[in-house]
Amino acid sequence: MEFKEQVANLSKRSTTATQKALTEEATKTSVVLPFIQILGFDPFNLDEVVPEYISDVGTKKGEKVDFALKINGETTILIEVKPITSSLGNAQYSQLYRYFGVTEAKLAILTNGKEAWFFSDIDAPNKMDKKPFFKFDFQKHSDDEIDELSRFQKDEFSIEGILEAASALKYSHAAAHYLKGQLDEPDDEFVKMVGRQIHDGMLTKNVVEQIRPAIQSALESIIRDRIQDRLDIAFRPKSETTKAEGTTSEDGATSDVITTEDELQAFMMVKAIAAKSISTDRVTIRDAKSYCSVFIDDNNRKPLCRFYFNSKSKNVLGLFNESKGEEKIDLGSLEDIYKYAEAIAQTAASYA
């Protein structure tokens, strides 16, 4: 079975455990041991998987970490398990933190059967970082995240490669977080940094306030242009209309509804806008005869917007508020969708 299929099976186990596993032991049995297994370790071989791993730490005697994974006799990964009913954001993992510094392990995993958080010592040698460099959601994940998870398989394990990727992930995530903040609301330092390149003279407080909206608008324009460039490339070779294979209608039946290029292009725009608030993997399209719907998680109780593009005279965008009320707006062109980016992003955020 391919790794991607194994992860899909693990996702089903995790979903079932969310409803049925009430204790830490149940979480270990139903999700964590299968997780260890798909990483290529034999849970029944004590040379590879040591449960209730003990390594005395200073004055702390007899403390245990739930699992230690070994490769060629060396302790490589430490795993601490919390009940699937708990949140990792609130979890205490002091044992994992202490053990990390006194074993040869360079990786530590904290999991509750719904998520796995991966830690290393990027910030300071032999001291586990306070923040994970990678988070994997067992139930909702992208193909790229599955590829990232595959790095931790025993047969492909390379601590040098993992740490190099961990460092890159950490800084790219931090940079993305910073740039997203500047896109939403550029701070004075960012405005001054750009301002020095575009303004001759002193950057007084009045000048900073004057150019701030222009810089924010420029950032948004760059993003729109990049999205539009990709859309042009994606759709240029296609015919004016595309038949959506296996399109599912609102009543759940398969039909021969035609999804037009305009609807697909509008969907890509909305997906890009929603990315400010939510993972794009959760944004889905479902076409019907009278309109085309965009949902979160393919759930009709989580509507994001609708496209009423079947009229020959005009295109209409349907926007939803928090109470699921719909407002219909006439579009002069598809690019007008960007005018309602804030409303779309807010609705997406309400489902985060």
Side-chain angles (χ1 to χ4, degrees):
M1 188 183 298
E2 292 186 0
F3 186 68
K4 188 174 180 179
E5 293 178 273
Q6 293 177 317
V7 173
N9 288 336
L10 184 65
S11 178
K12 293 176 183 177
R13 288 178 176 273
S14 177
T15 301
T16 300
T18 302
Q19 305 298 324
K20 297 182 178 181
L22 303 179
T23 65
E24 183 178 310
E25 289 303 315
T27 302
K28 290 179 184 177
T29 302
S30 60
V31 184
V32 179
L33 286 175
F35 172 52
I36 290 172
Q37 200 162 26
I38 73 167
L39 293 182
F41 295 86
D42 182 356
F44 306 104
N45 183 349
L46 292 177
D47 289 331
E48 292 187 7
V49 180
V50 182
E52 301 295 307
Y53 181 69
I54 299 176
S55 178
D56 292 339
V57 183
T59 59
K60 299 281 187 178
K61 304 296 182 182
E63 284 196 328
K64 303 173 183 177
V65 169
D66 292 300
F67 297 100
L69 307 187
K70 293 190 172 187
I71 298 178
N72 298 326
E74 293 186 359
T75 301
T76 305
I77 304 174
L78 303 175
I79 301 178
E80 185 165 340
V81 182
K82 299 298 179 183
I84 203 165
T85 53
S86 67
S87 167
L88 293 188
N90 300 323
Q92 297 295 319
Y93 45 98
S94 54
Q95 288 165 256
L96 191 63
Y97 184 87
R98 287 196 293 270
Y99 271 46
F100 189 90
V102 296
T103 68
E104 64 267 32
K106 290 295 182 182
L107 288 175
I109 301 174
L110 177 68
T111 182
N112 61 359
K114 287 191 293 187
E115 292 181 278
W117 290 9
F118 292 75
F119 298 83
S120 189
D121 58 351
I122 300 170
D123 293 333
N126 301 318
K127 185 177 181 181
M128 192 178 91
D129 299 331
K130 293 183 179 180
K131 294 183 179 180
F133 67 84
F134 176 55
K135 295 181 181 180
F136 186 80
D137 189 319
F138 290 126
Q139 298 175 20
K140 298 174 183 176
H141 44 258
S142 66
D143 287 347
D144 286 344
E145 289 169 330
I146 293 177
D147 289 342
E148 196 62 43
L149 183 67
S150 69
R151 290 176 178 271
F152 302 96
Q153 294 178 95
K154 186 184 73 171
D155 291 343
E156 300 182 16
F157 193 88
S158 166
I159 189 61
E160 294 80 8
I162 288 173
L163 292 180
E164 183 178 346
S167 181
L169 278 171
K170 175 184 175 182
Y171 293 121
S172 65
H173 289 168
H177 179 75
Y178 170 74
L179 291 173
K180 181 179 182 299
Q182 300 310 315
L183 179 62
D184 293 338
E185 189 175 349
D187 60 32
D188 288 352
E189 288 303 313
F190 184 82
V191 172
K192 289 177 181 178
M193 179 182 70
V194 178
R196 293 186 189 100
Q197 308 303 316
I198 62 175
H199 176 75
D200 294 328
M202 294 289 292
L203 289 172
T204 64
K205 184 176 180 180
N206 287 338
V207 171
V208 168
E209 293 306 317
Q210 181 181 353
I211 65 176
R212 190 192 307 275
I215 291 174
Q216 187 172 15
S217 177
L219 289 172
E220 293 172 350
S221 178
I222 290 169
I223 291 173
R224 285 198 300 269
D225 290 345
R226 291 293 294 272
I227 292 170
Q228 193 61 52
D229 287 344
R230 293 194 177 193
L231 288 172
D232 289 343
I233 292 170
F235 291 111
R236 189 178 300 124
K238 296 185 179 180
S239 59
E240 187 171 347
T241 61
T242 303
K243 184 174 181 178
E245 297 181 6
T247 299
T248 304
S249 64
E250 293 287 356
D251 61 4
T254 300
S255 69
D256 57 355
V257 172
I258 300 299
T259 304
T260 67
E261 182 177 333
D262 279 353
E263 288 170 334
L264 290 171
Q265 188 167 343
F267 171 63
M268 294 299 291
M269 291 177 179
V270 168
K271 194 171 185 178
I273 292 168
K276 295 175 63 176
S277 309
I278 201 167
S279 170
T280 55
D281 293 333
R282 298 179 60 191
V283 185
T284 57
I285 187 172
R286 197 190 306 175
D287 207 352
K289 289 184 178 181
S290 55
Y291 53 77
C292 185
S293 297
V294 179
F295 295 114
I296 301 300
D297 302 327
D298 198 24
N299 187 335
N300 58 16
R301 293 189 298 273
K302 299 179 181 180
L304 185 56
C305 65
R306 282 178 179 167
F307 309 134
Y308 298 86
F309 288 1
N310 295 332
S311 170
K312 293 183 179 180
S313 59
K314 64 180 180 180
N315 288 337
V316 175
L317 173 67
L319 296 177
F320 291 89
N321 55 34
E322 292 184 1
S323 60
K324 308 297 189 298
E326 183 181 8
E327 177 188 3
K328 294 183 178 180
I329 300 164
D330 291 348
L331 298 176
S333 66
L334 290 186
E335 284 72 22
D336 285 350
I337 290 174
Y338 291 120
K339 295 179 181 179
Y340 307 98
E342 183 176 352
I344 293 170
Q346 286 179 352
T347 301
S350 69
Y351 301 125

